[in-house]
Amino acid sequence: MSHNVFKLGQLLTNSGQQWRAGVVEVLEPFGLTPSQFFMLVAIQHQQFARDHLPSQKTAANAAGLDLNVASQATKILASHYLVNRELDNDDSRAYVLSCTLAGEQLGKTASEAVCTYTEQFFEACNADALARELFKLTKQK
């Protein structure tokens, strides 16, 4: 294995960890963890952009979270009245999620803060080119 390939993986890991640590700091005043934030944003996006209420599994997949982590995050968001979590009428094993007004407002404000931080974090590189390369690696289109 080439030293450069190993170094590239190490740099990718380190930069991802550094970005995540910054996101933790940005979200702290909002009382959200990254997992809670990504679930809240995924629920909002599916609820409003796609005009349907997502299942917990669908939102977890959109947020890129493990189902157990997503479940814990959703329970906490529901306990803070940021999302509604109701049994699906068609599948009693599944939950349907929706944002409350407070969740919508918090999600919007927190998203703005995370976007601002992310733009600052990536300003030293060509963020669009980096995003294209990372999409290739994760096979997302």
Side-chain angles (χ1 to χ4, degrees):
M1 174 169 40
S2 165
H3 175 73
N4 288 338
V5 172
F6 176 76
K7 189 67 174 170
L8 181 59
Q10 185 181 23
L11 288 169
L12 183 59
T13 299
N14 291 346
S15 60
Q17 289 171 342
Q18 186 178 356
W19 175 80
R20 183 174 168 78
V23 169
V24 168
E25 287 182 30
V26 168
L27 291 173
E28 187 176 6
F30 300 102
L32 294 171
T33 65
S35 297
Q36 293 164 2
F37 168 74
F38 289 118
M39 276 301 287
L40 185 60
V41 170
I43 295 164
Q44 277 186 299
H45 175 73
Q46 292 185 358
Q47 182 177 344
F48 298 108
R50 297 185 180 201
D51 199 29
H52 77 280
L53 300 180
S55 69
Q56 187 166 290
K57 183 177 181 179
T58 302
N61 289 339
L65 297 174
D66 171 82
L67 290 176
N68 291 326
V69 172
S71 178
Q72 291 173 339
T74 303
K75 287 176 185 176
I76 292 169
L77 292 170
S79 74
H80 290 102
Y81 306 103
L82 299 172
V83 301
N84 295 313
R85 184 175 180 256
E86 300 174 8
L87 284 174
D88 188 332
N89 290 333
D90 298 328
D91 183 354
S92 62
R93 299 167 297 159
Y95 286 96
V96 175
L97 307 174
S98 62
C99 286
T100 64
L101 182 57
E104 291 174 32
Q105 293 170 342
L106 182 63
K108 183 179 184 297
T109 306
S111 289
E112 290 169 356
V114 170
C115 284
T116 297
Y117 167 74
T118 300
E119 288 171 357
Q120 292 169 351
F121 184 85
F122 288 107
E123 71 186 356
C125 67
N126 183 336
D128 290 334
L130 178 60
R132 281 191 300 275
E133 296 304 315
L134 291 173
F135 278 127
K136 288 178 193 175
L137 292 175
T138 58
K139 297 178 176 41
Q140 295 180 11
K141 303 255 175 182

Coordinates of all heavy atoms in Angstrom, one line a residue, residues 10-78:
Q10 N -5.9 9.1 6.2 CA -5.7 9.8 7.5 C -6.2 11.2 7.5 O -6.9 11.7 8.4 CB -4.3 9.7 7.9 CG -4.0 10.2 9.3 CD -2.5 10.1 9.6 OE1 -1.6 10.0 8.7 NE2 -2.2 10.1 10.9
L11 N -5.9 11.9 6.4 CA -6.3 13.3 6.3 C -7.8 13.4 6.2 O -8.4 14.3 6.8 CB -5.6 13.9 5.0 CG -4.2 14.2 5.1 CD1 -3.6 14.6 3.7 CD2 -3.9 15.3 6.1
L12 N -8.4 12.5 5.5 CA -9.9 12.5 5.4 C -10.5 12.3 6.7 O -11.5 13.0 7.1 CB -10.4 11.5 4.3 CG -11.8 11.4 4.1 CD1 -12.4 12.7 3.5 CD2 -12.1 10.3 3.1
T13 N -10.0 11.3 7.4 CA -10.5 11.0 8.8 C -10.3 12.2 9.7 O -11.3 12.6 10.4 CB -9.8 9.8 9.4 OG1 -10.1 8.7 8.5 CG2 -10.3 9.5 10.8
N14 N -9.2 12.8 9.7 CA -8.9 13.9 10.6 C -9.7 15.2 10.3 O -10.2 15.8 11.2 CB -7.4 14.3 10.6 CG -6.5 13.2 11.2 OD1 -7.0 12.3 11.9 ND2 -5.2 13.3 10.9
S15 N -9.9 15.4 9.0 CA -10.7 16.6 8.6 C -12.1 16.4 9.0 O -12.8 17.3 9.4 CB -10.5 17.0 7.2 OG -10.9 15.9 6.3
G16 N -12.6 15.2 8.8 CA -14.0 14.9 9.2 C -14.2 15.0 10.6 O -15.2 15.6 11.1
Q17 N -13.3 14.5 11.4 CA -13.4 14.6 12.9 C -13.3 16.1 13.3 O -14.0 16.5 14.2 CB -12.3 13.8 13.6 CG -12.5 12.3 13.4 CD -11.3 11.5 13.9 OE1 -10.2 12.0 14.1 NE2 -11.6 10.2 14.2
Q18 N -12.5 16.9 12.7 CA -12.4 18.3 13.0 C -13.6 19.0 12.7 O -14.1 19.9 13.5 CB -11.2 18.9 12.3 CG -10.9 20.3 12.7 CD -9.7 20.9 12.0 OE1 -9.0 20.2 11.2 NE2 -9.4 22.2 12.2
W19 N -14.2 18.7 11.5 CA -15.5 19.4 11.1 C -16.6 19.0 12.1 O -17.3 19.9 12.6 CB -15.9 19.0 9.7 CG -17.2 19.5 9.3 CD1 -17.5 20.8 8.9 CD2 -18.5 18.8 9.3 NE1 -18.9 20.9 8.6 CE2 -19.5 19.7 8.9 CE3 -18.8 17.5 9.7 CZ2 -20.8 19.3 8.8 CZ3 -20.2 17.1 9.6 CH2 -21.1 18.1 9.2
R20 N -16.7 17.7 12.5 CA -17.7 17.3 13.4 C -17.5 17.9 14.8 O -18.5 18.3 15.4 CB -17.7 15.8 13.5 CG -18.8 15.2 14.5 CD -18.8 13.7 14.5 NE -19.6 13.2 15.5 CZ -21.0 13.1 15.5 NH1 -21.6 13.6 14.4 NH2 -21.6 12.5 16.5
A21 N -16.3 18.1 15.2 CA -16.1 18.8 16.5 C -16.6 20.2 16.5 O -17.2 20.7 17.4 CB -14.6 18.7 16.9
G22 N -16.4 20.8 15.3 CA -16.9 22.2 15.2 C -18.4 22.3 15.1 O -19.0 23.2 15.7
V23 N -19.0 21.3 14.5 CA -20.5 21.2 14.5 C -21.0 21.0 15.9 O -22.0 21.6 16.2 CB -20.9 20.1 13.5 CG1 -22.4 19.8 13.7 CG2 -20.6 20.4 12.1
V24 N -20.3 20.2 16.7 CA -20.8 20.0 18.1 C -20.8 21.4 18.8 O -21.7 21.7 19.5 CB -19.8 19.0 18.8 CG1 -20.1 19.0 20.3 CG2 -20.0 17.6 18.3
E25 N -19.7 22.2 18.6 CA -19.7 23.5 19.2 C -20.8 24.4 18.7 O -21.4 25.1 19.5 CB -18.3 24.1 19.0 CG -17.2 23.5 19.8 CD -15.8 24.2 19.5 OE1 -15.8 25.4 19.3 OE2 -14.8 23.5 19.6
V26 N -21.0 24.4 17.4 CA -22.0 25.3 16.8 C -23.4 24.9 17.4 O -24.2 25.8 17.6 CB -22.0 25.2 15.3 CG1 -23.2 25.8 14.6 CG2 -20.7 25.8 14.8
L27 N -23.6 23.6 17.5 CA -25.0 23.1 18.0 C -25.2 23.3 19.5 O -26.4 23.2 19.9 CB -25.2 21.7 17.5 CG -25.3 21.5 16.0 CD1 -25.4 20.0 15.7 CD2 -26.6 22.2 15.5
E28 N -24.2 23.4 20.2 CA -24.3 23.4 21.7 C -25.3 24.5 22.2 O -26.2 24.2 23.0 CB -22.9 23.6 22.4 CG -23.0 23.5 23.9 CD -21.6 23.6 24.5 OE1 -20.6 23.9 23.8 OE2 -21.6 23.4 25.7
P29 N -25.3 25.7 21.7 CA -26.2 26.7 22.1 C -27.7 26.4 21.8 O -28.6 26.9 22.4 CB -25.8 28.0 21.4 CG -24.4 27.8 20.9 CD -24.3 26.3 20.8
F30 N -27.9 25.5 20.8 CA -29.2 25.1 20.4 C -29.7 23.9 21.2 O -30.8 23.4 21.0 CB -29.3 24.8 18.9 CG -28.9 25.9 18.0 CD1 -27.6 26.0 17.5 CD2 -29.8 27.0 17.8 CE1 -27.3 27.1 16.7 CE2 -29.5 28.1 17.0 CZ -28.2 28.1 16.5
G31 N -28.8 23.3 22.0 CA -29.2 22.1 22.8 C -29.3 20.9 22.0 O -30.1 20.0 22.3
L32 N -28.6 20.8 20.8 CA -28.7 19.6 19.9 C -27.4 19.0 19.8 O -26.4 19.6 19.7 CB -29.2 20.1 18.5 CG -30.6 20.7 18.4 CD1 -30.8 21.3 17.0 CD2 -31.6 19.6 18.7
T33 N -27.4 17.6 19.6 CA -26.3 16.9 19.2 C -26.3 16.8 17.7 O -27.3 17.0 17.1 CB -26.3 15.5 19.8 OG1 -27.4 14.8 19.2 CG2 -26.4 15.5 21.4
P34 N -25.2 16.4 17.1 CA -25.2 16.3 15.6 C -26.2 15.2 15.2 O -26.9 15.5 14.2 CB -23.8 15.8 15.3 CG -22.9 16.5 16.4 CD -23.8 16.4 17.6
S35 N -26.4 14.1 15.9 CA -27.4 13.1 15.5 C -28.8 13.7 15.6 O -29.6 13.5 14.7 CB -27.3 11.9 16.4 OG -26.0 11.3 16.2
Q36 N -29.1 14.4 16.6 CA -30.4 15.1 16.7 C -30.6 16.1 15.6 O -31.7 16.2 15.0 CB -30.6 15.7 18.1 CG -30.6 14.7 19.3 CD -30.3 15.4 20.6 OE1 -30.2 16.6 20.7 NE2 -30.3 14.6 21.6
F37 N -29.6 16.9 15.4 CA -29.7 17.9 14.3 C -29.9 17.3 13.0 O -30.8 17.7 12.2 CB -28.4 18.7 14.3 CG -28.3 19.6 13.1 CD1 -29.0 20.8 12.9 CD2 -27.4 19.3 12.0 CE1 -28.9 21.6 11.8 CE2 -27.3 20.1 10.9 CZ -28.1 21.2 10.8
F38 N -29.2 16.2 12.6 CA -29.3 15.6 11.3 C -30.7 14.9 11.2 O -31.3 14.9 10.1 CB -28.2 14.7 11.0 CG -26.9 15.4 10.7 CD1 -25.8 15.3 11.5 CD2 -26.8 16.3 9.6 CE1 -24.6 16.0 11.2 CE2 -25.6 17.0 9.4 CZ -24.5 16.8 10.2
M39 N -31.2 14.4 12.2 CA -32.6 13.8 12.2 C -33.6 14.9 12.0 O -34.5 14.8 11.2 CB -32.9 13.0 13.5 CG -32.4 11.6 13.5 SD -33.0 10.6 12.1 CE -34.7 10.3 12.6
L40 N -33.5 16.0 12.7 CA -34.4 17.1 12.7 C -34.4 17.7 11.2 O -35.5 17.9 10.7 CB -34.1 18.2 13.7 CG -35.0 19.4 13.8 CD1 -36.4 18.9 14.2 CD2 -34.5 20.4 14.8
V41 N -33.3 17.8 10.6 CA -33.2 18.4 9.3 C -33.8 17.4 8.3 O -34.5 17.8 7.3 CB -31.7 18.8 9.0 CG1 -31.5 19.1 7.5 CG2 -31.3 19.9 9.8
A42 N -33.5 16.1 8.5 CA -34.0 15.1 7.5 C -35.5 15.1 7.6 O -36.2 15.0 6.6 CB -33.4 13.7 7.9
I43 N -36.1 15.1 8.8 CA -37.5 15.1 8.9 C -38.1 16.4 8.3 O -39.1 16.3 7.5 CB -37.9 15.1 10.4 CG1 -37.5 13.8 11.1 CG2 -39.4 15.3 10.6 CD1 -37.5 13.8 12.6
Q44 N -37.5 17.5 8.5 CA -38.0 18.8 7.9 C -38.0 18.7 6.4 O -39.0 19.0 5.7 CB -37.2 20.0 8.3 CG -37.5 20.5 9.7 CD -36.7 21.8 9.9 OE1 -35.5 21.8 10.0 NE2 -37.4 22.9 10.1
H45 N -36.9 18.2 5.9 CA -36.7 18.2 4.4 C -37.8 17.3 3.8 O -38.5 17.6 2.8 CB -35.3 17.7 4.0 CG -35.2 17.5 2.6 ND1 -35.1 18.5 1.7 CD2 -35.1 16.4 1.8 CE1 -34.9 18.1 0.5 NE2 -35.0 16.8 0.5
Q46 N -38.0 16.1 4.4 CA -39.0 15.2 3.8 C -40.4 15.6 4.0 O -41.2 15.4 3.2 CB -38.7 13.8 4.4 CG -37.4 13.2 3.9 CD -37.2 11.8 4.4 OE1 -38.0 11.2 5.1 NE2 -36.1 11.2 3.9
Q47 N -40.6 16.3 5.1 CA -42.0 16.8 5.4 C -42.4 17.9 4.5 O -43.5 17.9 4.0 CB -42.0 17.2 6.9 CG -43.4 17.7 7.3 CD -43.4 18.1 8.8 OE1 -42.5 17.8 9.6 NE2 -44.4 18.8 9.2
F48 N -41.4 18.8 4.2 CA -41.8 20.0 3.5 C -41.4 19.9 2.0 O -42.2 20.3 1.1 CB -41.3 21.2 4.2 CG -41.8 21.4 5.5 CD1 -41.0 21.2 6.7 CD2 -43.2 21.8 5.7 CE1 -41.6 21.3 7.9 CE2 -43.7 21.9 7.0 CZ -42.9 21.7 8.1
A49 N -40.2 19.5 1.7 CA -39.8 19.4 0.3 C -40.4 18.3 -0.4 O -40.7 18.4 -1.6 CB -38.2 19.3 0.3
R50 N -40.7 17.2 0.2 CA -41.3 16.0 -0.4 C -42.8 15.9 -0.1 O -43.4 15.0 -0.6 CB -40.5 14.8 0.0 CG -39.1 14.8 -0.5 CD -38.4 13.6 -0.2 NE -37.0 13.7 -0.7 CZ -36.2 12.7 -1.0 NH1 -36.7 11.5 -0.8 NH2 -35.0 12.9 -1.4
D51 N -43.3 16.8 0.7 CA -44.7 16.8 1.0 C -45.3 15.5 1.5 O -46.4 15.1 1.1 CB -45.4 17.3 -0.2 CG -46.8 17.9 0.2 OD1 -47.0 18.4 1.3 OD2 -47.7 17.8 -0.7
H52 N -44.5 14.8 2.4 CA -45.1 13.7 3.1 C -44.4 13.5 4.4 O -43.2 14.0 4.6 CB -45.0 12.4 2.2 CG -43.6 11.8 2.2 ND1 -42.6 12.3 1.4 CD2 -43.1 10.7 2.9 CE1 -41.5 11.5 1.6 NE2 -41.8 10.6 2.5
L53 N -45.0 12.8 5.3 CA -44.4 12.6 6.6 C -43.5 11.3 6.5 O -44.0 10.3 6.1 CB -45.5 12.4 7.7 CG -46.4 13.5 7.9 CD1 -47.4 13.2 9.0 CD2 -45.6 14.8 8.3
P54 N -42.2 11.5 6.9 CA -41.3 10.3 6.7 C -41.5 9.3 7.9 O -41.9 9.7 9.0 CB -39.9 11.0 6.8 CG -40.2 12.2 7.7 CD -41.5 12.7 7.3
S55 N -41.1 8.1 7.6 CA -41.0 7.1 8.7 C -39.7 7.4 9.4 O -38.8 8.1 8.9 CB -41.0 5.7 8.1 OG -39.8 5.5 7.4
Q56 N -39.5 6.8 10.6 CA -38.3 7.0 11.3 C -37.1 6.4 10.5 O -36.1 6.9 10.4 CB -38.4 6.3 12.7 CG -37.2 6.6 13.6 CD -37.6 6.2 15.0 OE1 -38.3 6.9 15.7 NE2 -37.0 5.1 15.5
K57 N -37.4 5.2 9.9 CA -36.4 4.6 9.1 C -35.9 5.4 7.9 O -34.8 5.6 7.6 CB -36.9 3.2 8.6 CG -35.8 2.4 7.8 CD -36.4 1.0 7.5 CE -35.3 0.3 6.7 NZ -35.8 -1.1 6.3
T58 N -36.9 6.0 7.2 CA -36.6 6.8 6.0 C -35.8 8.1 6.4 O -34.9 8.4 5.8 CB -37.9 7.3 5.3 OG1 -38.7 6.1 5.0 CG2 -37.7 8.2 4.1
A59 N -36.2 8.7 7.5 CA -35.5 9.9 8.0 C -34.1 9.5 8.5 O -33.1 10.2 8.2 CB -36.2 10.5 9.2
A60 N -33.9 8.3 9.1 CA -32.6 7.8 9.5 C -31.7 7.6 8.3 O -30.5 8.0 8.3 CB -32.7 6.6 10.3
N61 N -32.2 7.0 7.3 CA -31.5 6.8 6.0 C -31.0 8.1 5.4 O -29.9 8.3 5.0 CB -32.2 6.0 5.0 CG -32.4 4.5 5.5 OD1 -31.6 4.0 6.3 ND2 -33.4 3.8 4.9
A62 N -32.0 9.1 5.4 CA -31.7 10.4 4.8 C -30.6 11.1 5.6 O -29.8 11.9 5.1 CB -32.9 11.2 4.7
A63 N -30.6 10.9 6.9 CA -29.7 11.6 7.8 C -28.3 10.8 7.9 O -27.4 11.4 8.4 CB -30.2 11.7 9.2
G64 N -28.3 9.6 7.3 CA -27.1 8.8 7.3 C -26.8 8.3 8.7 O -25.6 8.1 9.1
L65 N -27.8 7.9 9.5 CA -27.6 7.5 10.8 C -28.1 6.0 11.0 O -29.0 5.6 10.3 CB -28.5 8.3 11.8 CG -28.1 9.8 11.9 CD1 -29.1 10.5 12.8 CD2 -26.7 9.9 12.5
D66 N -27.4 5.3 11.9 CA -27.8 4.0 12.3 C -29.2 4.1 12.9 O -29.6 5.1 13.5 CB -26.8 3.5 13.3 CG -27.2 2.2 14.0 OD1 -27.0 1.1 13.4 OD2 -27.8 2.3 15.1
L67 N -30.0 3.0 12.7 CA -31.4 3.1 13.2 C -31.5 3.2 14.7 O -32.4 3.9 15.2 CB -32.2 1.8 12.7 CG -32.5 1.7 11.2 CD1 -33.1 0.4 10.9 CD2 -33.4 2.9 10.8
N68 N -30.6 2.6 15.4 CA -30.7 2.8 16.9 C -30.3 4.2 17.3 O -31.0 4.8 18.2 CB -29.7 1.8 17.6 CG -30.2 0.4 17.4 OD1 -31.4 0.1 17.4 ND2 -29.3 -0.6 17.3
V69 N -29.3 4.8 16.7 CA -28.9 6.2 17.0 C -30.1 7.1 16.6 O -30.4 8.0 17.4 CB -27.6 6.5 16.3 CG1 -27.3 8.0 16.4 CG2 -26.5 5.7 16.8
A70 N -30.7 6.8 15.5 CA -31.8 7.7 15.0 C -33.0 7.6 15.9 O -33.6 8.6 16.2 CB -32.2 7.3 13.6
S71 N -33.3 6.4 16.4 CA -34.4 6.2 17.4 C -34.1 7.0 18.7 O -35.0 7.6 19.2 CB -34.5 4.7 17.7 OG -35.6 4.5 18.6
Q72 N -32.9 6.9 19.2 CA -32.6 7.6 20.4 C -32.7 9.1 20.2 O -33.3 9.9 21.0 CB -31.2 7.3 20.9 CG -31.1 5.9 21.4 CD -29.6 5.5 21.7 OE1 -28.7 6.2 21.2 NE2 -29.4 4.6 22.6
A73 N -32.2 9.6 19.0 CA -32.3 11.0 18.7 C -33.7 11.5 18.6 O -34.1 12.5 19.1 CB -31.5 11.3 17.5
T74 N -34.5 10.7 17.9 CA -35.9 11.0 17.7 C -36.7 11.1 19.0 O -37.5 12.0 19.3 CB -36.6 10.0 16.7 OG1 -35.8 10.0 15.5 CG2 -38.0 10.4 16.5
K75 N -36.4 10.1 19.9 CA -37.1 10.1 21.2 C -36.8 11.4 22.0 O -37.6 12.0 22.6 CB -36.7 8.9 22.0 CG -37.3 7.6 21.5 CD -36.8 6.4 22.3 CE -37.3 5.1 21.7 NZ -36.7 3.9 22.4
I76 N -35.5 11.8 21.9 CA -35.1 13.0 22.6 C -35.8 14.3 22.0 O -36.3 15.1 22.7 CB -33.6 13.2 22.7 CG1 -33.0 12.1 23.6 CG2 -33.2 14.6 23.2 CD1 -31.5 11.9 23.5
L77 N -35.8 14.3 20.7 CA -36.4 15.4 20.0 C -37.9 15.5 20.3 O -38.5 16.6 20.6 CB -36.3 15.3 18.5 CG -34.8 15.5 17.9 CD1 -34.8 15.1 16.5 CD2 -34.4 16.9 18.1
A78 N -38.6 14.3 20.4 CA -40.0 14.3 20.8 C -40.2 14.7 22.2 O -41.1 15.4 22.5 CB -40.5 12.9 20.6

